[in-house]
Amino acid sequence: MTEVAPQTTVPKPSSAAARFRQRNGWVVGLALLLVGMIVLRSTQVANFGGFEVRALAAGGLMLAFLAMAQGVVVLSGGINLAVGALMVLANCVSALLMEDSSFAMSIVVAILTIIGTALLSGLMGWIITVSGMPDIVVTLSRCTSRSWGWPCSSSAGPEGEPTRISRT
């Protein structure tokens, strides 16, 4: 009896453009998005220059960090709505504590804020693991808790516009 080797299918050859699009589509898309944002912003600002490009990139950096953090949570099989809330909380606390501080004190506040945010995130992960509650329940309860978000409450002026961050 003779054995017949299984037939393998050979992939169809693709063009160089198709391979480039498949391998680098996201990079090209992000570059086009950045160019579009720069063009749009340059029409809004009279003296557009390097500072505006830097501010645009720094503004998008927080969104990129949030997307990466949420991506890690989703890849691990959960959903954590508090990633953004924790980042906003850290931003509010650090801005409040860095006001009228020296550079060295600002660095200390930044490091302590990072540690505090990591501890809050770890506490939520610990509560999820130990209690067995669904992670969405824990994150929703964290997002709605007023006791954890005290630095971000604001007082409104007579016209309803926010005047200043307060600790109440």
Side-chain angles (χ1 to χ4, degrees), residues 7 9-10 12 14 24 35 44 50 55 64 71 77 79 82 88 90 92 94 98 101 110 116 135 139 148 157 163 167:
Q7 290 185 351
T9 58
V10 178
K12 295 178 185 175
S14 59
N24 302 311
V35 168
Q44 297 172 341
I79 184 164
V88 169
C92 290
S94 62
M98 286 182 188
S101 296
D135 47 0
T139 58
W148 288 28
T163 55
R167 295 179 190 235

Coordinates of all heavy atoms in Angstrom, one line a residue, residues 7 9-10 12 14 24 35 44 50 55 64 71 77 79 82 88 90 92 94 98 101 110 116 135 139 148 157 163 167:
Q7 N -1.9 17.0 0.7 CA -1.6 18.1 -0.2 C -1.7 19.4 0.7 O -2.6 19.5 1.5 CB -2.6 18.2 -1.3 CG -2.5 17.1 -2.3 CD -3.4 17.3 -3.5 OE1 -4.3 18.2 -3.4 NE2 -3.3 16.6 -4.5
T9 N -1.9 23.5 0.6 CA -2.2 24.6 -0.3 C -1.2 25.7 -0.2 O -0.7 26.1 0.9 CB -3.6 25.2 0.1 OG1 -3.5 25.7 1.4 CG2 -4.7 24.2 0.0
V10 N -0.8 26.2 -1.3 CA 0.1 27.3 -1.4 C -0.6 28.6 -1.4 O -1.6 28.8 -2.2 CB 1.0 27.2 -2.7 CG1 2.0 28.3 -2.8 CG2 1.7 25.8 -2.7
K12 N -1.8 32.3 -2.2 CA -1.7 33.1 -3.4 C -0.7 34.2 -3.2 O -0.7 34.8 -2.1 CB -3.0 33.6 -3.8 CG -4.1 32.6 -4.1 CD -5.4 33.2 -4.4 CE -6.5 32.2 -4.6 NZ -7.8 32.8 -4.8
S14 N 0.8 37.7 -3.1 CA 0.1 39.0 -3.0 C 1.1 40.1 -3.5 O 2.3 40.0 -3.5 CB -0.3 39.3 -1.5 OG 0.8 39.2 -0.7
N24 N 1.5 47.4 7.8 CA 1.7 48.7 8.3 C 0.5 49.6 8.3 O 0.6 50.8 8.3 CB 2.8 49.4 7.6 CG 4.1 48.7 7.6 OD1 4.6 48.3 8.7 ND2 4.7 48.4 6.5
V35 N -1.4 63.9 11.0 CA -1.3 65.0 10.0 C -2.6 65.8 9.9 O -2.6 67.0 9.9 CB -0.9 64.4 8.6 CG1 -1.1 65.4 7.5 CG2 0.5 63.9 8.6
Q44 N -6.7 76.8 13.3 CA -7.4 77.4 14.5 C -6.4 78.3 15.2 O -6.9 79.2 15.9 CB -7.8 76.3 15.4 CG -8.9 75.4 14.9 CD -9.1 74.2 15.8 OE1 -8.4 73.9 16.7 NE2 -10.3 73.5 15.6
G50 N 6.1 74.9 16.8 CA 6.6 73.6 17.5 C 5.9 73.4 18.8 O 5.6 72.3 19.2
A55 N 2.2 70.2 22.2 CA 0.9 70.2 23.1 C 0.0 69.2 22.5 O -0.7 68.5 23.2 CB 0.3 71.6 23.1
A64 N -3.4 57.6 24.7 CA -2.7 56.4 24.4 C -2.4 55.5 25.6 O -2.6 54.3 25.6 CB -1.4 56.8 23.7
G71 N -6.5 48.0 27.2 CA -6.2 46.8 26.4 C -5.6 45.7 27.2 O -6.0 44.5 27.0
G77 N -9.2 39.3 30.1 CA -10.5 38.7 30.2 C -11.5 39.5 31.1 O -12.6 39.0 31.4
I79 N -13.1 43.7 32.2 CA -13.4 45.1 31.8 C -13.3 46.0 33.0 O -13.9 45.7 34.0 CB -14.8 45.2 31.1 CG1 -15.0 46.6 30.5 CG2 -15.9 44.8 32.0 CD1 -16.0 46.7 29.5
A82 N -12.7 51.8 35.5 CA -12.1 52.8 36.4 C -10.7 53.2 35.9 O -10.1 54.0 36.6 CB -12.0 52.2 37.8
V88 N -7.8 60.3 35.8 CA -8.3 61.6 36.1 C -8.1 62.0 37.6 O -7.7 63.1 37.9 CB -9.8 61.7 35.7 CG1 -10.4 63.0 36.2 CG2 -9.9 61.6 34.2
A90 N -5.8 60.8 39.6 CA -4.3 61.1 39.8 C -4.0 62.5 39.2 O -3.2 63.2 39.8 CB -3.5 60.0 39.1
C92 N -6.0 65.1 38.9 CA -6.5 66.1 39.8 C -5.7 66.3 41.1 O -5.4 67.4 41.6 CB -8.0 65.8 40.2 SG -9.1 66.0 38.8
S94 N -2.6 65.3 41.7 CA -1.2 65.9 41.4 C -1.3 67.4 41.1 O -0.4 68.1 41.5 CB -0.5 65.1 40.4 OG -1.2 65.2 39.1
M98 N 0.6 70.0 43.3 CA 1.8 70.7 42.7 C 1.6 72.2 42.6 O 2.6 72.9 42.2 CB 2.0 70.1 41.3 CG 2.6 68.7 41.3 SD 2.8 68.2 39.6 CE 3.3 66.5 39.8
S101 N 4.4 74.7 43.9 CA 5.4 73.9 44.4 C 6.7 74.1 43.6 O 6.7 74.4 42.5 CB 5.0 72.4 44.4 OG 3.9 72.2 45.3
A110 N 4.7 63.7 42.0 CA 4.4 62.8 40.8 C 4.7 61.4 41.2 O 3.9 60.5 40.8 CB 5.2 63.3 39.6
G116 N 0.4 55.9 44.6 CA -1.0 55.9 45.2 C -2.0 55.4 44.2 O -2.9 54.6 44.5
D135 N -15.8 42.0 37.9 CA -15.0 43.2 37.9 C -15.7 44.4 37.5 O -15.5 45.5 38.0 CB -13.7 43.0 37.0 CG -14.1 42.4 35.7 OD1 -15.2 42.1 35.4 OD2 -13.1 42.3 34.9
T139 N -15.7 48.0 39.6 CA -15.2 49.2 39.0 C -16.4 50.3 38.9 O -16.1 51.4 39.1 CB -14.7 49.0 37.6 OG1 -15.7 48.4 36.8 CG2 -13.5 48.1 37.6
W148 N -13.9 58.5 47.2 CA -12.6 58.4 46.6 C -12.3 59.5 45.6 O -11.2 59.7 45.3 CB -12.5 57.1 45.8 CG -12.5 55.9 46.7 CD1 -13.0 55.7 47.9 CD2 -11.9 54.6 46.3 NE1 -12.8 54.5 48.4 CE2 -12.1 53.8 47.4 CE3 -11.3 54.1 45.2 CZ2 -11.7 52.4 47.4 CZ3 -10.9 52.8 45.2 CH2 -11.1 52.0 46.3
G157 N -19.1 79.1 40.1 CA -19.3 80.5 40.3 C -20.7 81.0 40.1 O -21.6 80.2 39.9
T163 N -15.0 77.6 39.2 CA -14.0 78.6 39.6 C -12.7 78.0 40.0 O -11.7 78.5 39.6 CB -14.6 79.4 40.8 OG1 -14.9 78.5 41.9 CG2 -15.8 80.2 40.4
R167 N -11.6 71.2 48.0 CA -11.5 69.9 48.7 C -12.8 69.5 49.3 O -12.8 68.7 50.2 CB -10.4 70.0 49.7 CG -9.0 70.2 49.1 CD -8.0 70.3 50.2 NE -6.8 70.7 49.7 CZ -5.6 70.0 49.8 NH1 -5.6 69.0 50.6 NH2 -4.5 70.5 49.3

